[in-house]
Amino acid sequence: MAIASINPYDGTVLQTFTPLTDAELETKLALAVTAFATYRRWSLTQRAAGLYRLADALTQEREQWARLMTLEMGKPIQAALAEVDKCAWVCRYYAEWGADFLQDQAGPLERLPDGTVAQTWIRRQPLGPILAVMPWNFPFWQVFRCLAPALMAGNVVLLKHASNVPQCALAIEQLVTQAGFPTGAMQTLLIPGDRVASLVADPRIKAATLTGSEPTGMSLAAAAGRALKKTVLELGGSDPFIVLPSADLDAALATAVTARLLNNGQSCIAAKRLILHATIAPTFLPRLVERFQAVKMGNPLDAATELGPLATQAQRDELHRQVRQMLDAGAKCWCGGHIPPGPGYFYPPTVLSDLPPSARDIEFFGPVFLVYVVPDLDAAIQLANDSPFGLGASAWTRDPHEQERLLNDLECGSVFINGLVKSDPRLPFGGIKHSGYGRELGEFGLLEFVNLKTLWVKSS
Ligand code: NAP
């Protein structure tokens, strides 16, 4: 089946691509191996210079790349521009700090019985071709946040991007080539997801990183396990957004709206469950509904648009099916909850309360907020943790004791107090439980795909 780039704003087919044949895939794998043989010899200074050039190339044509993302998956253009800038930032971050993270580290001196000494070091070396399986929701950022550290560490990357963003995938390959990295240092593989398992088993692939859904994570980890390959998994989430009475309620409200609707509601770290203390819920909830109803939905290329279409028709239909499932089970709908007439894969901002227990297992990947009301802090923490996921959490309170309880007791990869959960090139990012394992970004992200080689040398 052809790989199609479809504009979710109106359903027009922008371009189609024929998936790689087995022979074409073989050629790309072979090229990755030869590229790695050259590239691993590049000095840290050369690799950093390449990343600076890549950052400059992104920045120089930021409008072009942003527009491409918006056309292929519908994110509002302002968010797409910010995404390009963040990709340039992560390239510059690893260019600046990568050499520090990759320095040889001196180990202990060992005095030997014959009077000589042995010196020890830890050296950080690349693994080889890394397979990166990526989703469509941040078509540039998801790729760059694993690409930049992988290239800095001396690895080469084979990108299997989501099938609905092939133009973004090819554009990223073009950018890396233009930045002067060796041919084959980063290649895009236009193949469907069902061909990934056999690719992971190929001995030339040394490790795999996936950002995607929970079922895909299980499938990829099983394939990688059978082939004894290291994986990093960044999977789904159902992040809580907790508001307690002492919080700055205006700031909490404004951030809750952003946290749920950012990227048309299609973010792993979007706030998906709003947990309100009972004393503030009667006023906070109607204000949220009012704000949701005022959101400007429309053409994502229009700078004034706040909410664009969902990325695909299948994505929109699945979200609506989940909402129907909640309503059939007795949930209350405060706003939204219907598919609007007209072209495009739009879904309105939706608020649901009185949810059935089954809601806890579902990731709503679109502009749907699940609202819960709790009597106290303990109940808020218990509810927040009562989820198979553990990605991020945002909690709002001015009380230092409550802050410490939340920081300590929430079970997830990151906790933000009085702020929006976000990724940052300088800080490790990832989840626990069914949100995955391993980390991206910061020093820890770079070290996921290096061999920590222990060196021991006896003086003669
Ligand atoms: P997805 O359906 O799991 O797809 C992700 C990638 O996996 C795509 O490239 C897809 O290719 C590929 N794939 C599909 N089936 C596969 C299989 N059996 N084996 C290996 N690869 C396979 O996820 P999505 O709908 O694109 O993205 C949304 C999900 O990603 C959400 O759950 C979201 O929470 C999660 N996400 C997590 C993070 C994080 O950092 N934790 C960040 C962003 C998104 P095809 O397109 O060809 O099917």
Side-chain angles (χ1 to χ4, degrees):
M1 202 172 70
I3 289 178
S5 175
I6 296 172
N7 185 346
Y9 173 58
D10 55 14
T12 53
V13 176
L14 301 168
Q15 217 174 329
T16 56
F17 299 84
T18 308
L20 294 179
T21 63
D22 287 346
E24 288 165 336
L25 187 55
E26 171 57 34
T27 304
K28 288 186 183 288
L29 280 163
L31 179 59
V33 172
T34 52
F36 177 61
T38 306
Y39 185 58
R40 70 192 302 263
R41 307 257 167 236
W42 277 32
S43 68
L44 296 177
T45 312
Q46 285 176 301
R47 294 178 203 165
L51 285 177
Y52 279 126
R53 289 192 298 272
L54 188 51
D56 290 345
L58 280 161
T59 307
Q60 278 155 17
E61 292 170 335
R62 67 194 280 274
E63 282 81 14
Q64 181 184 339
W65 311 127
R67 190 179 155 78
L68 183 58
M69 282 191 268
T70 296
L71 284 174
E72 277 203 309
M73 54 68 66
K75 73 173 60 212
I77 189 70
Q78 299 299 341
L81 286 164
E83 183 168 337
V84 179
D85 295 343
K86 197 165 172 183
C87 292
W89 180 19
V90 79
C91 290
R92 293 196 176 103
Y93 168 75
Y94 280 110
E96 186 178 351
W97 290 99
D100 285 0
F101 301 155
L102 292 162
Q103 276 307 321
D104 278 0
Q105 187 182 324
L109 270 184
E110 187 180 342
R111 300 210 173 276
L112 301 169
D114 65 2
T116 60
V117 293
Q119 277 196 309
T120 61
W121 302 270
I122 301 152
R123 180 159 293 172
R124 293 154 163 83
Q125 292 192 308
L127 295 180
I130 308 294
L131 176 66
V133 184
M134 291 294 132
W136 43 263
N137 59 340
F138 294 93
F140 269 53
W141 169 242
Q142 300 294 356
V143 176
F144 274 87
R145 78 182 189 186
C146 65
L147 177 67
L151 288 175
M152 189 63 220
N155 294 305
V156 300
V157 174
L158 289 156
L159 168 66
K160 186 279 177 266
H161 216 326
S163 292
N164 57 320
V165 288
Q167 295 193 74
C168 287
L170 291 167
I172 294 168
E173 178 175 336
Q174 184 194 327
L175 275 160
V176 175
T177 306
Q178 278 171 4
F181 288 94
T183 307
M186 187 261 150
Q187 299 178 80
T188 284
L189 309 177
L190 292 182
I191 53 170
D194 60 14
R195 285 173 67 188
V196 170
S198 59
L199 191 56
V200 171
D202 189 291
R204 288 165 290 190
I205 299 289
K206 300 303 177 197
T209 178
L210 164 78
T211 300
S213 61
E214 191 188 354
T216 304
M218 289 177 179
S219 158
L220 183 96
R226 280 193 296 275
L228 290 179
K229 302 274 170 75
K230 162 122 188 219
T231 49
V232 166
L233 300 181
E234 298 287 357
L235 309 178
S238 186
D239 284 8
F241 190 104
I242 301 169
V243 188
L244 297 170
S246 73
D248 175 343
L249 296 178
D250 290 342
L253 179 67
T255 309
V257 174
T258 306
R260 180 55 284 203
L261 300 184
L262 195 85
N263 208 38
N264 305 336
Q266 303 161 123
S267 169
C268 53
I269 46 170
K272 290 169 188 148
R273 293 176 295 149
L274 179 62
I275 300 176
L276 299 174
H277 191 281
T279 58
I280 57 152
T283 48
F284 197 94
L285 182 49
R287 288 178 72 198
L288 175 83
V289 172
E290 199 182 312
R291 296 286 280 270
F292 262 38
Q293 286 171 323
V295 164
K296 189 172 181 311
M297 197 161 73
N299 186 345
L301 283 174
D302 179 347
T305 292
E306 294 168 308
L307 191 74
L310 298 195
T312 64
Q313 183 163 8
Q315 197 71 26
R316 195 264 306 266
D317 292 350
E318 171 60 11
L319 184 70
H320 188 55
R321 189 196 63 74
Q322 291 170 335
V323 169
R324 293 282 350 148
Q325 183 188 334
M326 294 298 105
L327 296 177
D328 290 347
K332 175 175 176 182
C333 183
W334 292 74
C335 62
H338 61 272
I339 293 180
Y345 312 139
F346 286 95
Y347 204 77
T350 298
V351 175
L352 303 178
S353 69
D354 304 276
L355 293 143
S358 60
R360 68 186 273 287
D361 297 328
I362 302 173
E363 181 185 30
F364 290 78
F365 214 58
V368 176
F369 230 154
L370 310 182
V371 181
Y372 296 87
V373 179
V374 292
D376 55 30
L377 176 67
D378 285 334
I381 292 173
Q382 191 181 353
L383 180 60
N385 290 340
D386 184 24
S387 164
F389 299 107
L391 200 49
S394 174
W396 293 71
T397 169
R398 288 186 170 114
D399 180 326
H401 164 72
E402 289 180 346
Q403 291 181 358
E404 185 50 32
R405 280 284 318 280
L406 291 155
L407 289 168
N408 212 47
D409 293 353
L410 287 171
E411 295 167 357
C412 50
S414 62
V415 179
F416 285 64
I417 300 290
N418 299 327
L420 178 82
V421 177
K422 59 183 190 293
S423 59
D424 179 320
R426 301 163 296 183
L427 294 169
F429 181 90
I432 59 170
K433 302 197 273 187
H434 282 209
S435 292
Y437 51 73
R439 289 294 178 266
E440 291 190 297
L441 301 174
E443 181 175 2
F444 292 99
L446 182 141
L447 296 180
E448 290 283 3
F449 294 122
V450 300
N451 174 21
L452 294 179
K453 190 192 266 183
T454 297
L455 308 178
W456 187 99
V457 178
K458 182 180 182 225
S459 58
S460 47

